[in-house]
Amino acid sequence: MKRATPNLSVKLNRVIDPTDDATAIVFEPVQSITAIGYVSGKIRLFSEKLSTHVELGIERSSEIRHLVVLSSQPVVAAIDGLGTLWVFDTDIQRLCFSYNVPLAPTCVGLIADTSWLLIGTEAGRVYFVDVLEGKKSDFSIGCQIRPPSPVVSVAPHPLETEKLLIAYSEGTCVVCDLGKASGSEKAMVLTRHKYEHLQTQGETDGPASAADVDSGAAMLQTTQDGQRSQRDSVHGYANIGSELTSATSTGILRRKS
């Protein structure tokens, strides 16, 4: 049976300046925003709603290595080549705050439906920063392997967002349960697996998210029919150190006053 050919058309065409090398790019589908970071430290935002692009910039010349656009929030977060996090308000097109990450950042992730940014580092530690409130949590996750290895991916489970995957460059992946953070870091680790074939230099055959990790049996069980969904569950963040608390069933995290 012959498949129908999809009717594709170009809705928006914008030119990227070839004289200014792009170093990072991200697309946020809810707001339909494409953000592009450049080697000069500039960030350009493109959207169907804008007649021209919006340009933001950090306070020094350093390449943009990581970019995140919050869903349904006018917030863009960027990390430059010197390890500084810069957060912008896209409504007023102004820098809101910056934070020098203590260890060299290697990757970023975002907990769905929240403003909590996950920052993986070269030493294997993962930091938590609320980019909407402009605050870093005192809670962090140390490297779960020895000797320490850089974090190459940190991502929450798509349904059970109190669980997250941390993948290290030497091939080990661990799944942590943030709901058990009141105990030791060892108690948070639900399972781990060593991928001998895991690549870290741009290859695509390694695990991409916590839902992809499988060590012969399911390492993370997805929710079954009739069980809680991401939108109506109270996420298990109440025990993340003394700084965080689970506030509402929307999953938005707030700091204790």
Side-chain angles (χ1 to χ4, degrees):
M1 181 182 232
K2 188 176 180 181
R3 293 184 178 180
T5 303
N7 183 19
L8 302 178
S9 61
V10 177
K11 296 185 66 177
L12 184 66
N13 185 15
R14 296 286 173 83
V15 176
I16 297 175
D17 185 356
T19 64
D20 193 2
D21 294 335
T23 54
I25 185 169
V26 66
F27 175 69
E28 202 292 297
V30 175
Q31 301 182 80
S32 189
I33 292 177
T34 299
I36 303 175
Y38 295 87
V39 69
S40 63
K42 289 187 294 186
I43 301 168
R44 290 182 178 138
L45 306 180
F46 300 88
S47 173
E48 296 178 19
K49 301 175 183 179
L50 301 173
S51 58
T52 184
H53 70 267
V54 171
E55 187 168 302
L56 309 171
I58 62 177
E59 297 175 348
R60 61 190 177 204
S61 179
S62 180
E63 66 178 288
I64 302 299
R65 291 190 177 177
H66 305 282
L67 272 174
V68 173
V69 178
L70 260 63
S71 176
S72 304
Q73 295 286 352
V75 177
V76 172
I79 296 180
D80 68 11
L82 298 177
T84 298
L85 169 67
W86 308 85
V87 178
F88 298 86
D89 185 319
T90 58
D91 278 348
I92 60 176
Q93 300 175 26
R94 193 177 69 182
L95 177 68
C96 295
F97 78 95
S98 63
Y99 168 66
N100 294 320
V101 182
L103 303 168
T106 52
C107 61
V108 296
L110 188 68
I111 299 178
D113 294 334
T114 79
S115 56
W116 285 102
L117 186 68
L118 311 174
I119 304 176
T121 65
E122 191 172 39
R125 184 169 290 276
V126 175
Y127 292 100
F128 294 73
V129 180
D130 188 336
V131 294
L132 194 59
E133 297 291 334
K135 298 175 181 178
K136 171 190 166 293
S137 171
D138 288 342
F139 173 79
S140 64
I141 300 176
C143 189
Q144 298 300 307
I145 61 173
R146 292 292 181 269
S149 178
V151 178
V152 295
S153 178
V154 55
H157 189 284
L159 297 177
E160 301 174 62
T161 52
E162 66 273 13
K163 297 176 183 178
L164 61 88
L165 167 77
I166 304 173
Y168 300 96
S169 65
E170 53 81 68
T172 296
C173 298
V174 300
V175 177
C176 297
D177 186 344
L178 301 181
K180 298 181 180 180
S182 59
S184 65
E185 287 192 355
K186 184 177 180 180
M188 280 195 304
V189 177
L190 299 179
T191 187
R192 67 179 68 225
H193 186 71
K194 178 68 175 290
Y195 285 81
E196 299 296 341
H197 67 285
L198 179 60
Q199 303 293 320
T200 62
Q201 300 298 324
E203 301 292 339
T204 58
D205 59 347
S209 71
D212 296 330
V213 178
D214 193 333
S215 62
M219 295 180 72
L220 285 178
Q221 297 293 326
T222 57
T223 55
Q224 302 296 320
D225 292 340
Q227 291 184 340
R228 63 180 186 172
S229 67
Q230 180 177 329
R231 292 187 179 275
D232 62 13
S233 65
V234 176
H235 298 170
Y237 294 105
N239 295 324
I240 303 183
S242 61
E243 292 296 316
L244 304 184
T245 183
S246 178
T248 68
S249 60
T250 63
I252 301 298
L253 302 181
R254 297 299 182 208
R255 272 174 103 78
K256 290 182 178 179
S257 57

